[in-house]
Amino acid sequence: MFTESFKYYKSKNPPPSFESVINFDGVNDSIFVRRTVVNNSDERFRHIGLTDPIHWQIFESPSGLIFIKNPFTAQGQRYWIARCLSDYPKSPHANNLHSKSISLSVVDDWWKELNSTETKAEKERLRTALRWCTLGYHHQWDTKIYSEDKKHEFPSDLASLSGYIANVLNFGKYSAEAAIINFYPIGSTLSAHTDHSEQNLDAPLFSFSFGQSAIFLIGGTTKDIKPMAMLLQSGDIVVMSQESRLCYHAVPRVFKSDLSTWNLEEKDEDDDYREVTRKRRRVSQQSDHINTELWDLVLNKDFWQPFNEYVDNCRINANVRQVLREGQNTL
Ligand SMILES: O=C(O)CCC(=O)C(=O)O
């Protein structure tokens, strides 16, 4: 059942109908019910790139799958996109380029090499060559077993973002310890799998989408169950918790969207307010380990341009997991 749906949504000729795809922008007649955040006393949302959670559109399925409709500000999206492209793939984090016949400088700092490449063809080759990088406990693609020897420090800003969302959704304390960042050129896919390497399977998995759109399929704990298809757009967050945490899922289609919400103009505050908030923001951002220099730079047109070119053609997905159980210090 899963394989049939995957093939259906992957097909180029004929292209699939999106009639059965759950689109949370439209009328929701799916199994998802709306959840609201009643009050929020934690003001940090602004400083990590989010809007106020009391305005979030949150939908939850009976199996514990949660969908949050893009809760990011445009600047927030830009910050996280820039981190995913220019920082997270860098050494010592692991990436797929090690296994390709590609020079060591590209493996170590793909973004820098991509942007210093002159020829169009070589740029295109490098742009599509990066398919994943892993953070924290590095995912082992063959054994699916994490190891203490294959681990680097988890980026603390991404840990803050995941912890904040876990708190808003009442999951309690969350410790982000492993992540896979997937890079999808338009037309690429991710086949059906479950994520079961973590020793703590009670903690939710947070999945952030940026850039171009995708069809996301999620079914049951075997491939015999017909999956539902969901539209994921830039900024959307999927949380796999409870039963859904161990369900088969896949991405059969990544396609060009007519939206680029990371480029939307945000309403400006007046100058005095901006000055006060800038100081408060810096203090708050430092405690959440946000790179404040990058935060400001992403609004600069020239700085943003290469990032924009990338997300205009590709999708990025960052999925974050807690590996250890509460009180456990090592594997
Ligand atoms: O790209 C996505 O939305 C899903 C990624 C995923 O399932 C994974 O990396 O395990």
Side-chain angles (χ1 to χ4, degrees):
M1 294 287 254
F2 202 111
T3 311
E4 282 82 357
S5 295
F6 186 89
K7 282 189 186 148
Y8 176 77
Y9 284 108
K10 184 182 172 190
S11 169
K12 286 197 172 75
N13 198 3
S17 156
F18 282 8
E19 203 178 25
S20 311
V21 176
I22 303 171
N23 178 352
F24 294 93
D25 275 342
V27 184
N28 171 34
D29 55 0
S30 68
I31 53 164
F32 284 81
V33 294
R34 189 83 187 257
R35 193 211 263 207
T36 45
V37 175
V38 185
N39 63 34
N40 170 48
S41 55
D42 189 343
E43 286 273 313
R44 286 184 305 144
F45 62 86
R46 297 178 210 290
H47 308 135
I48 52 177
L50 297 165
T51 57
D52 190 334
I54 60 169
H55 301 304
W56 291 4
Q57 295 179 59
I58 309 172
F59 301 87
E60 188 167 6
S61 83
S63 67
L65 186 73
I66 300 172
F67 175 89
I68 310 174
K69 182 74 223 152
N70 176 20
F72 290 92
T73 60
Q75 187 175 9
Q77 283 201 52
R78 286 184 182 207
Y79 174 82
W80 293 108
I81 289 168
R83 287 286 280 156
C84 288
L85 292 171
S86 61
D87 298 330
Y88 298 156
K90 255 192 208 164
S91 203
H93 305 306
N95 65 44
N96 69 299
L97 300 172
H98 290 272
S99 55
K100 300 207 168 190
S101 49
I102 250 168
S103 75
L104 208 56
S105 52
V106 177
V107 175
D108 285 345
D109 194 344
W110 163 82
W111 185 249
K112 186 168 160 217
E113 293 296 321
L114 172 67
N115 288 293
S116 48
T117 303
E118 299 286 321
T119 65
K120 208 170 164 224
E122 181 59 5
K123 229 182 163 63
E124 179 63 11
R125 189 178 84 88
L126 281 190
R127 185 167 61 76
T128 53
L130 184 75
R131 297 304 308 274
W132 54 261
C133 68
T134 54
L135 313 174
Y137 281 106
H138 298 297
H139 181 73
Q140 301 304 305
W141 300 88
D142 43 359
T143 61
K144 309 255 188 276
I145 299 172
Y146 292 119
S147 123
E148 286 296 331
D149 312 332
K150 293 185 175 125
K151 168 189 161 184
H152 287 97
E153 200 179 332
F154 193 90
S156 31
D157 58 350
L158 188 54
S160 292
L161 175 71
S162 311
Y164 183 87
I165 294 164
N167 190 42
V168 169
L169 297 177
N170 297 325
F171 284 114
K173 199 169 162 327
Y174 189 78
S175 180
E177 290 156 342
I180 302 176
I181 318 286
N182 294 297
F183 301 93
Y184 296 92
I186 284 173
S188 60
T189 61
L190 178 72
S191 54
H193 65 282
T194 59
D195 294 312
H196 53 261
S197 302
E198 296 69 32
Q199 297 196 354
N200 184 342
L201 292 168
D202 294 324
L205 182 155
F206 294 98
S207 175
F208 305 94
S209 292
F210 298 110
Q212 298 309 308
S213 300
I215 300 293
F216 177 73
L217 296 181
I218 181 153
T221 49
T222 72
K223 285 199 210 167
D224 297 335
I225 294 166
K226 188 172 165 37
M228 57 185 171
M230 295 162 61
L231 174 67
L232 299 187
Q233 291 171 307
S234 193
D236 293 347
I237 304 176
V238 169
V239 186
M240 293 166 70
S241 76
Q242 299 167 33
E243 202 189 313
S244 73
R245 177 67 181 76
L246 284 174
C247 287
Y248 273 94
H249 55 283
V251 178
R253 199 171 192 94
V254 172
F255 58 98
K256 186 97 178 145
S257 162
D258 44 15
L259 304 171
S260 46
T261 47
W262 55 90
N263 282 337
L264 290 178
E265 289 286 329
E266 272 153 9
K267 64 175 185 310
D268 232 351
E269 297 123 357
D270 70 68
D271 284 350
D272 286 352
Y273 178 69
R274 214 181 308 151
E275 197 42 45
V276 176
T277 54
R278 183 175 296 142
K279 288 191 186 122
R280 276 192 22 215
R281 169 169 65 76
R282 290 224 173 247
V283 174
S284 171
Q285 285 188 322
Q286 271 149 13
S287 65
D288 276 319
H289 313 279
I290 296 291
N291 177 337
T292 50
E293 197 188 334
L294 183 66
W295 177 264
D296 292 336
L297 275 171
V298 293
L299 292 185
N300 175 297
K301 204 164 157 266
D302 293 336
F303 179 84
W304 177 248
Q305 193 275 332
F307 295 98
N308 198 60
E309 198 177 311
Y310 185 92
V311 282
D312 223 23
N313 292 290
C314 299
R315 169 175 186 259
I316 303 170
N317 170 264
N319 58 84
V320 178
R321 304 112 192 264
Q322 175 165 340
V323 174
L324 304 175
R325 290 183 293 273
E326 220 184 307
Q328 192 183 354
N329 293 322
T330 57
L331 287 168

